[in-house]
Amino acid sequence: NMRMLWGGASASSQYEGGFELFNKGMDTQDCRRYIKRIDNATTSTRLLTKADIERAKHPLDGDFFPGRKGSEGLLHIDEDIEYLSELGIDIYRISIAWSRIFPTGEEETPNEEALNMYGDILKKLKSKGIKIYLSLTHYALPLALVEKYGGWKNRKLIDLYLKYAKVIFERFGEYLDFVVPFNEINTGFFSPFNGLGLLRDENRKGSGYDLNDIFAGLHNQFIASAKVIELGKKMLKASFGCMAACFCYYGYSCNPLDQLKTLQYEQINQWFFTDVLAAGEYPYYMKKYFRDNDIKVEFLPGDREILRNNTADFVGFSYYQSNVCAFEEMEKTAGNLVVSTKNPYLKANEWGWQIDPVGMRISMNKIYDRYKKPVMITENSFGYNDVLEEGNIINDDYRIQYLNDHFEQIKLAIDDGVECLAYLLWGIVDIVSAGSLEMTKRYGVVYVDADNLGNGTYKRYKKKSFKFYKEFIEKEKNVVKS
Ligand code: BGP
């Protein structure tokens, strides 16, 4: 079968900029204001309220919305594609901003200038022999759909999403190799604003969200995802996947209660979502969770068949770190989307994310074992506040170490027998972080000269890790030939 592919990944609102371009409609990511990080839960920059939306529409002096500028990708797209080509990557993951194509989500006809812009980008990538993985949406929901329908909790969004997907497939189908309807489908559970466009209600006790809204939103996304796959398979030869954030939970000790909590945490935080999209039905254990939390998910006639008949061809996942479950609340650290218990065996970065290469091998085996479908690492790398030194040098040896250790474990998982389609280095050209909106939380092998408030030249400089990744990919390509 095909050699494993090595590539990179980005997301529209973290990379593009071009907020004023071609009458783009505001989307949820354009509303998120930069606030200096006070804790690693990043609640204030992730879980927006109605007041936050109003402020985004009428900003105060000094307000900065990083999603509107990203890392000025659109201003540097030709140069960035040259870097990708120089690296020799096989595949590149991008997302399209829905509100560029349909500013309010409900226009009769799509925005032709925006379509042409994305068409040019896809053509340029293909002309370099780079395969395309398209996320139809990556957190960026047209704001008008939040204000008019309350976001994904309204079933109306399914048809509007299909209308958007149909245009993308008609116009770009020939360029697409892999299509995934939603980024990290489990985000809706932790980050309901990013995942589902649900506003946090400050007057509500607890998280500020009604679980019935969250699970209605998730159900609508599951149905939308399956319907997009049904439509896409009629129109394209691409492979269709699902994708979730992988948390790789460990029990804090061999205390059975720690193991029980780990089992339950992994079910509700991770397996539930890929069970629906990759296995095609709601898993048994959610019945108890819905009963215990008084949640009623409305299934319309045909819903169960749509899910069963349109499952994902492959299971993508983002992997950054592992997490710990302790039955007794213990010392907390942080991780992608969730706050987790500290693992005494692991080192962490300044955001408290714990570095665990072996967890990558464990996760690849567990996901492959569960679905017997090819897996794909759709996000990996590590956030560091890289320093631009004299002569525009960035000595990110720590990132080379992280990547090298994770590549070793990926190869061990493949030796275990796991079928892995690709590895995509997250934020391969530096972008704005999704959780904290920080430019200084850098993942890439290409540095972008900008700070957290949008100041800087936005010039690109190759980091030390650029050469490492370029040489690694070359070796990978030669090994297969020999
Ligand atoms: C995932 C998102 C990505 C990416 C990643 C890293 O949840 O799919 O958009 O940003 O997290 O997290 P952060 O950017 O917050 O460091």
Side-chain angles (χ1 to χ4, degrees):
N1 60 345
M2 195 169 69
R3 162 175 75 81
M4 176 177 168
L5 304 173
W6 294 86
S10 73
S12 58
S13 54
Q14 296 173 251
Y15 172 74
E16 291 182 352
F19 177 60
E20 313 283 350
L21 215 53
F22 310 141
N23 303 314
K24 175 181 183 264
M26 265 180 90
D27 62 32
T28 51
Q29 301 307 300
D30 295 325
C31 297
R32 299 175 61 204
R33 183 165 57 87
Y34 174 72
I35 297 167
K36 194 163 172 39
R37 182 162 38 101
I38 38 175
D39 64 33
N40 284 320
T42 63
T43 301
S44 56
T45 54
R46 273 188 310 112
L47 306 177
L48 267 57
T49 63
K50 185 149 179 37
D52 291 321
I53 302 299
E54 288 316 305
R55 180 158 175 177
K57 289 159 80 170
H58 312 287
L60 303 182
D61 285 353
D63 282 357
F64 177 58
F65 300 88
R68 302 183 184 189
K69 201 162 188 180
S71 53
E72 292 289 22
L74 295 179
L75 293 180
H76 295 264
I77 188 69
D78 291 343
E79 176 191 358
D80 288 351
I81 291 178
E82 283 308 315
Y83 286 124
L84 299 179
S85 179
E86 190 183 338
L87 279 165
I89 64 167
D90 302 303
I91 176 173
Y92 188 53
R93 172 183 174 205
I94 66 165
S95 73
I96 287 178
W98 184 351
S99 65
R100 288 195 188 281
I101 312 303
F102 292 104
T104 67
E106 298 198 272
E107 287 75 6
E108 269 313 298
T109 55
N111 181 311
E112 289 300 329
E113 290 175 302
L115 285 167
N116 292 337
M117 178 190 81
Y118 281 116
D120 288 347
I121 293 170
L122 293 171
K123 275 179 219 149
K124 279 179 191 144
L125 286 163
K126 294 304 271 193
S127 72
K128 303 282 185 184
I130 296 173
K131 292 184 187 304
I132 304 291
Y133 167 129
L134 176 68
S135 310
L136 275 172
T137 49
H138 191 127
Y139 296 159
L141 179 69
L143 182 63
L145 299 182
V146 175
E147 299 192 299
K148 185 170 179 183
Y149 298 108
W152 274 100
K153 69 183 179 193
N154 190 315
R155 189 150 174 139
K156 169 80 180 164
L157 266 68
I158 296 176
D159 290 343
L160 292 172
Y161 183 71
L162 278 161
K163 170 176 136 112
Y164 160 63
K166 190 164 184 290
V167 167
I168 300 301
F169 291 162
E170 282 164 352
R171 298 299 182 89
F172 306 138
E174 63 184 293
Y175 303 122
L176 305 179
D177 299 283
F178 299 95
V179 174
V180 173
F182 294 98
N183 170 62
E184 291 187 331
I185 185 78
N186 47 342
T187 301
F189 185 52
F190 313 92
S191 254
F193 179 72
N194 279 346
L196 300 167
L198 302 183
L199 295 175
R200 178 165 60 91
D201 175 355
E202 283 169 303
N203 307 320
R204 213 190 151 78
K205 64 185 183 347
S207 71
Y209 287 100
D210 176 343
L211 281 172
N212 273 288
D213 288 345
I214 288 179
F215 284 91
L218 288 166
H219 185 71
N220 291 334
Q221 285 190 335
F222 293 151
I223 299 298
S225 184
K227 283 187 164 192
V228 159
I229 290 179
E230 183 181 51
L231 174 70
K233 287 210 178 266
K234 290 181 189 137
M235 297 174 72
L236 317 180
K237 60 184 183 331
S239 180
F240 290 82
C242 63
M243 186 256 182
C246 174
F247 293 112
C248 192
Y249 286 112
Y250 301 142
Y252 183 74
S253 76
C254 49
N255 174 344
L257 292 178
D258 285 348
Q259 304 312 319
L260 176 64
K261 179 160 184 178
T262 302
L263 171 77
Q264 292 168 339
Y265 251 50
E266 206 156 58
Q267 285 173 338
I268 184 58
N269 290 319
Q270 184 180 308
W271 295 134
F272 164 49
F273 309 85
T274 40
D275 283 356
V276 174
L277 295 181
E281 60 184 21
Y282 275 54
Y284 73 90
Y285 53 80
M286 288 311 284
K287 289 188 180 61
K288 172 171 171 43
Y289 183 86
F290 290 158
R291 198 168 59 240
D292 292 352
N293 291 280
D294 204 13
I295 295 164
K296 302 221 173 353
V297 176
E298 189 193 7
F299 280 73
L300 295 190
D303 278 2
R304 293 186 199 285
E305 290 70 25
I306 288 167
L307 294 175
R308 191 168 40 249
N309 299 333
N310 301 286
T311 58
D313 302 325
F314 67 90
V315 183
F317 65 99
S318 55
Y319 181 88
Y320 293 97
Q321 84 282 333
S322 57
N323 292 284
V324 173
C325 285
F327 187 66
E328 265 93 37
E329 289 307 294
M330 320 276 280
E331 186 193 353
K332 291 285 175 210
T333 179
N336 187 20
L337 298 170
V338 290
V339 179
S340 151
T341 302
K342 228 170 170 31
N343 183 327
Y345 295 90
L346 300 177
K347 292 194 301 292
N349 68 1
E350 75 176 79
W351 287 269
W353 294 23
Q354 301 167 136
I355 301 166
D356 179 4
V358 175
M360 170 70 92
R361 179 181 179 184
I362 292 168
S363 299
M364 289 173 72
N365 273 280
K366 285 172 74 171
I367 294 170
Y368 187 60
D369 185 24
R370 192 173 183 101
Y371 303 112
K372 307 290 188 288
K373 293 186 169 184
V375 305
M376 189 188 290
I377 302 152
T378 61
E379 295 179 20
N380 176 254
S381 182
F382 224 55
Y384 287 103
N385 187 352
D386 301 329
V387 177
L388 180 61
E389 298 176 40
E390 191 57 36
N392 299 324
I393 311 286
I394 300 98
N395 289 308
D396 58 337
D397 297 278
Y398 40 79
R399 183 172 292 106
I400 292 172
Q401 186 67 56
Y402 178 97
L403 295 174
N404 184 65
D405 295 350
H406 283 76
F407 294 169
E408 277 174 6
Q409 294 301 324
I410 289 168
K411 296 176 104 40
L412 287 169
I414 290 166
D415 185 53
D416 293 337
V418 173
E419 192 187 345
C420 181
L421 295 172
Y423 168 91
L424 307 178
L425 197 151
W426 177 250
I428 191 164
V429 174
D430 283 350
I431 54 176
V432 168
S433 124
S436 60
L437 302 176
E438 292 171 290
M439 189 69 220
T440 52
K441 188 178 185 190
R442 300 167 184 283
Y443 284 88
V445 298
V446 176
Y447 182 92
V448 173
D449 177 26
D451 69 14
N452 289 334
L453 286 171
N455 307 308
T457 65
Y458 284 83
K459 281 191 175 141
R460 272 80 165 129
Y461 304 111
K462 293 180 214 173
K463 302 180 191 177
K464 190 174 179 182
S465 54
F466 184 97
K467 184 167 177 289
F468 163 77
Y469 194 35
K470 176 176 159 54
E471 290 174 354
F472 176 83
I473 293 173
E474 263 163 45
K475 265 202 313 291
E476 278 301 296
K477 288 181 176 176
N478 296 335
V479 158
V480 170
K481 275 192 204 114
S482 59

